């Protein structure tokens, strides 16, 4: 049942409800009272700025935070010089943490000029005890800190910030949860496309990855809730959805009535008015024959699969705890290419994992050449405290890592350009997403295979599916024009 609430009709003299999401709407109503007082005092509503670091899961969480802020009366600011600033953080790599610390230094200056300003931090980085200790010591001006498991409590925590009598940082970090709270407000970045969480957490414990420690164990949403959410989105004008999970291929295993990810996709495809379905991320060890066939037969699932490799060396993959071999991965990828010839396959690759040799790197290059990725996100290994890999011996020298990274990048770029060139002269459907930032007489669209195309147009085309002739390949994108043809 979709939960809706008129905040002005909530009785704030009563005790807050114990059940969610009614409890959070109660606290939204209390926050709204504070917003009204601010407006009376300052002659304007308070402003809020939400900054997202990290993945699409974080981006979706930020839309929920923004939805709550809008619901209680905040107006959106376009910079950090706002009355309320919240950073939704990532901690997959150390440089993500350093970016947040750098930005916090700037916020401290803004807050000195605006004593009523509030600063909040949430997300994966906040789940690390060392981070919390550093915030206590060096960034005591921060008002609120919470993590990934209790993001649904944002309104309740915000009330605590407003009502506290003395200065001091409020910290509310949960180590884990089995809660999934539905039907809170969401402020979408795009009116025509949206992410939809189908599960939370991860059970894989790859030895380099901190995600299971900061996102918790896998928890799948009930399929009925997912379907109802997508139906509401479609009624609101959404034509493309992205199903989100740390490993969507293991969706449904913990449900009372288990359902496979492929079965969920079949149900999503039945939704009338929905035109495109995307998903990420897929762990290779869990990608089933059933899923391949569903993708092959589908008219709505986009022709793009993100299939993280991480390394092409079986020895390195074993130390990473990825639970597949080089040969198994290549066999799977080539089978997908055979079954779905027009699919684009992208991947993630780490260079410099502890103990990686030049021979290991050559194995990775061999996989890139065989699979012929349409794009690859390449990373230098980042030691994350608390993961098994951080304690491994044989950390790779920096110069060797840099040399290997440059070599990999060259092969990836050459392969991706070769793959992109195949589409020259074809007519393909693109979802127009925005006016081109460098030329307001051009718009930018995304093809089913996830490649970008720029073509003449204006803002009236945004959100529409347009047939586009791909005229000029520029490596990782196309220049084209709207084609007056009917695609089959």
């Amino acid at each position: 049942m979709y939960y809706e609430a008129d905040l002005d009709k909530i009785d704030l003299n009563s005790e807050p409800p114990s059940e969610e999401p009614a409890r959070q709407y109660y606290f939204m109503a209390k926050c709204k009272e504070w917003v009204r007082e601010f407006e009376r005092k300052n002659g304007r509503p308070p402003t809020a700025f939400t900054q997202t670091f990290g993945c699409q899961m974080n981006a979706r969480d930020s839309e929920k935070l923004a939805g709550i802020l809008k619901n209680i009366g905040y107006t959106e600011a376009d910079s950090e010089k706002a009355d309320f600033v919240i950073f939704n953080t990532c901690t997959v790599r150390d440089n993500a943490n350093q970016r947040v610390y750098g930005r916090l230094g700037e916020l401290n200056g803004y807050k000195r000029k605006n004593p009523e300003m509030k600063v909040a931090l949430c997300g994966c980085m906040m789940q690390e005890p060392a981070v919390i200790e550093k915030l206590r010591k060096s960034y005591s001006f921060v008002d609120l800190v919470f993590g990934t498991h209790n993001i649904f409590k944002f309104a309740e925590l915000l009330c605590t910030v407003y009502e506290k009598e003395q200065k001091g940082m409020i910290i509310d970090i949960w180590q884990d949860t089995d809660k999934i709270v539905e039907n809170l407000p969401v402020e979408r970045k795009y009116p025509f496309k949206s992410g939809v969480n189908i599960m939370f957490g991860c059970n894989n414990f790859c030895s380099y990855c901190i995600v299971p420690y900061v996102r918790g164990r896998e928890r799948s949403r009930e399929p009925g809730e997912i379907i109802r959410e997508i139906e509401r989105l479609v009624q609101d004008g959404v034509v493309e959805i992205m199903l989100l999970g740390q490993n969507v291929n293991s969706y449904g295993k913990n449900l009372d009535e288990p359902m496979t990810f492929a079965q969920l996709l079949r149900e999503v495809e039945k939704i009338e008015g929905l035109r495109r379905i995307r998903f990420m991320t897929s762990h290779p060890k869990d990608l089933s024959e059933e899923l391949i066939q569903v993708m092959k037969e589908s008219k709505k699932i986009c022709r793009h699969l993100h299939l993280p490799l991480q390394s092409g060396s079986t020895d390195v993959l074993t130390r990473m705890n990825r639970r597949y071999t080089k040969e198994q991965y290549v066999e799977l990828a080539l089978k997908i290419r055979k079954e779905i010839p027009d699919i684009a396959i992208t991947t993630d690759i780490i260079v410099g994992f502890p103990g990686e040799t030049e021979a290991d790197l050559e194995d990775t290059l061999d996989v890139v050449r065989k699979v012929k990725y349409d794009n690859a996100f390449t990373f230098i290994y980042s030691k994350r405290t608390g993961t098994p890999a951080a304690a491994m011996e044989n950390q790779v020298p920096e110069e060797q890592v840099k040399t290997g990274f440059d070599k990999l990048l060259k092969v990836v770029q050459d392969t991706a350009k070769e793959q992109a060139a195949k589409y020259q002269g074809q007519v393909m459907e693109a979802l127009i997403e925005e006016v081109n930032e460098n030329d307001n007489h051009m718009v930018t669209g995304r093809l089913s295979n996830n490649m970008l195309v720029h073509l003449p147009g204006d803002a009236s085309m945004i959100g529409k599916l347009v047939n586009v002739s791909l005229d000029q390949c520029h490596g990782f994108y196309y220049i084209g024009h709207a084609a007056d043809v009917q695609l089959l």
Side-chain angles (χ1 to χ4, degrees):
M1 183 74 179
Y2 182 49
Y3 188 93
E4 294 185 83
D6 184 341
L7 299 187
D8 294 326
K9 294 181 179 179
I10 293 176
D11 181 8
L12 296 179
N13 293 316
S14 64
E15 289 295 313
S18 58
E19 296 297 317
E20 304 289 2
R23 180 178 178 86
Q24 297 312 312
Y25 280 93
Y26 173 91
F27 285 107
M28 285 180 222
K30 291 194 74 174
C31 289
K32 193 170 184 178
E33 289 296 303
W34 182 91
V35 166
R36 284 171 174 156
E37 179 58 30
F38 180 100
E39 192 164 1
R40 282 193 292 269
K41 178 181 174 182
N42 296 281
R44 62 172 179 83
T47 57
F49 180 80
T50 304
Q51 177 66 58
T52 307
F53 300 83
C55 66
Q56 276 128 328
M57 296 283 283
N58 271 22
R60 183 58 175 166
D61 285 346
S62 289
E63 290 184 336
K64 297 173 184 177
L65 297 171
I68 292 170
L69 289 167
K70 182 178 179 180
N71 215 34
I72 63 179
Y74 274 91
T75 60
E76 184 180 357
D78 58 5
S79 78
E80 293 164 359
K81 296 178 181 180
D83 299 304
F84 184 87
V85 175
I86 183 165
F87 286 171
N88 187 5
T89 62
C90 171
T91 193
V92 171
R93 280 168 287 280
D94 182 63
N95 61 357
N97 289 28
Q98 300 311 316
R99 284 177 62 201
V100 171
Y101 291 134
R103 298 284 282 276
L104 281 176
E106 295 179 24
L107 286 190
N108 194 16
Y110 297 148
K111 192 167 184 180
R112 288 196 186 104
K113 296 176 183 178
N114 179 8
E116 290 192 339
M117 179 182 183
K118 305 295 183 186
V119 175
L121 300 173
C122 67
C124 296
M125 183 177 164
M126 300 305 110
Q127 295 292 145
E128 296 186 77
V131 169
I132 301 302
E133 191 60 31
K134 184 169 183 174
L135 291 174
R136 289 184 193 271
K137 290 181 178 179
S138 303
Y139 302 92
S140 57
F141 64 89
V142 172
D143 298 282
L144 172 63
V145 177
F146 58 105
T148 59
H149 304 305
N150 57 343
I151 190 170
F152 69 89
K153 279 186 64 181
F154 179 44
E156 187 172 347
L157 295 170
L158 204 53
C159 268
T160 308
V161 171
Y162 293 150
E163 294 172 353
K164 68 179 181 180
E165 295 180 359
Q166 296 181 339
K167 290 184 178 180
M169 187 184 298
I170 294 172
I171 299 173
D172 192 348
I173 304 294
W174 295 6
Q175 293 308 308
D176 207 344
T177 185
D178 58 0
K179 277 182 174 287
I180 296 178
V181 177
E182 308 277 1
N183 301 320
L184 291 171
V186 174
E187 179 67 9
R188 300 198 314 274
K189 182 178 180 181
Y190 300 99
F192 53 87
K193 68 176 184 176
S194 178
V196 174
N197 297 109
I198 65 169
M199 60 189 301
F200 304 90
C202 182
N203 289 353
N204 287 310
F205 289 92
C206 300
S207 63
Y208 55 84
C209 185
I210 202 165
V211 167
Y213 305 96
V214 298
R215 285 276 180 184
R217 304 297 80 77
E218 288 179 358
R219 310 180 307 283
S220 296
R221 291 178 65 195
E222 291 292 336
E225 288 290 343
I226 296 168
I227 297 301
R228 281 189 285 274
E229 179 179 350
I230 297 171
E231 287 174 340
R232 292 195 298 269
L233 289 168
V234 171
Q235 290 168 6
D236 198 36
V238 167
V239 296
E240 177 182 295
I241 55 102
M242 168 81 80
L243 304 177
L244 297 172
Q246 303 298 150
N247 176 19
V248 293
N249 292 337
S250 61
Y251 168 80
K253 292 180 179 179
N254 68 327
L255 293 173
D256 291 339
E257 297 182 14
M259 167 183 267
T260 67
F261 179 52
Q263 289 170 333
L264 176 66
L265 283 173
R266 285 196 181 99
E267 295 305 308
V268 172
E269 182 150 15
K270 295 175 185 176
I271 297 174
E272 292 187 12
L274 181 63
R275 298 288 299 277
R276 282 183 166 188
I277 303 168
R278 297 188 185 275
F279 58 84
M280 75 165 35
T281 294
S282 288
H283 196 298
K285 73 177 178 62
D286 297 313
L287 198 147
S288 66
E289 172 66 29
E290 181 189 22
L291 177 59
I292 294 172
Q293 293 306 311
V294 167
M295 293 185 69
K296 178 180 179 179
E297 297 163 7
S298 174
K299 302 297 183 184
K300 295 183 179 181
I301 298 174
C302 288
R303 289 323 201 218
H304 171 230
L305 177 66
H306 191 69
L307 193 66
L309 169 67
Q310 306 303 3
S311 174
S313 162
T314 297
D315 287 344
V316 174
L317 288 169
T318 300
R319 294 198 299 277
M320 287 180 166
N321 194 34
R322 292 291 288 174
R323 286 174 277 180
Y324 53 81
T325 66
K326 170 187 177 180
E327 291 73 21
Q328 288 170 334
Y329 182 97
V330 171
E331 181 182 5
L332 174 64
L334 295 183
K335 180 176 185 177
I336 294 167
R337 287 235 184 260
K338 180 181 178 181
E339 294 289 329
I340 315 171
D342 59 342
I343 199 165
I345 300 178
T346 57
T347 197
D348 297 331
I349 302 173
I350 296 171
V351 177
F353 188 80
E356 183 181 68
T357 64
E358 290 187 15
D360 293 326
L361 180 66
E362 286 301 322
D363 276 338
T364 299
L365 298 179
D366 184 50
V367 175
V368 174
R369 293 184 181 108
K370 286 176 176 174
V371 176
K372 296 185 182 296
Y373 293 110
D374 295 78
N375 202 354
F377 300 93
T378 52
F379 307 98
I380 289 174
Y381 168 70
S382 177
K383 184 189 293 188
R384 307 308 293 125
T385 302
T387 63
M392 289 181 180
E393 297 180 354
N394 299 322
Q395 299 288 327
V396 182
E398 184 177 338
E399 187 58 36
Q400 180 181 328
V401 173
K402 185 180 184 305
T403 301
F405 183 83
D406 291 344
K407 186 183 292 186
L408 172 65
L409 195 60
K410 174 69 166 58
V411 176
V412 164
Q413 289 175 340
D414 289 346
T415 303
K417 289 177 181 177
E418 178 187 339
Q419 287 294 102
K422 296 191 307 183
Y423 304 107
Q424 179 105 9
Q426 292 188 30
V427 174
M428 300 177 71
E429 187 180 72
L431 176 59
I432 307 303
E433 297 188 342
E434 60 189 358
V435 174
N436 190 288
E437 60 182 14
N438 298 317
D439 184 348
N440 60 13
H441 297 294
M442 302 280 285
V443 292
T444 298
R446 193 174 297 274
L447 305 176
S448 175
N449 63 16
N450 211 43
M451 183 171 282
L452 293 177
V453 58
H454 308 295
L455 63 150
D458 57 39
S460 67
M461 299 171 66
I462 293 176
K464 294 181 179 177
L465 289 157
V466 177
N467 296 329
V468 179
S469 174
L470 306 179
D471 302 328
Q472 302 170 34
C473 179
H474 290 256
F476 296 96
Y477 67 92
Y478 267 92
I479 300 294
H481 69 274
D484 187 19
V485 296
Q486 183 68 42
L487 293 178
L488 297 178

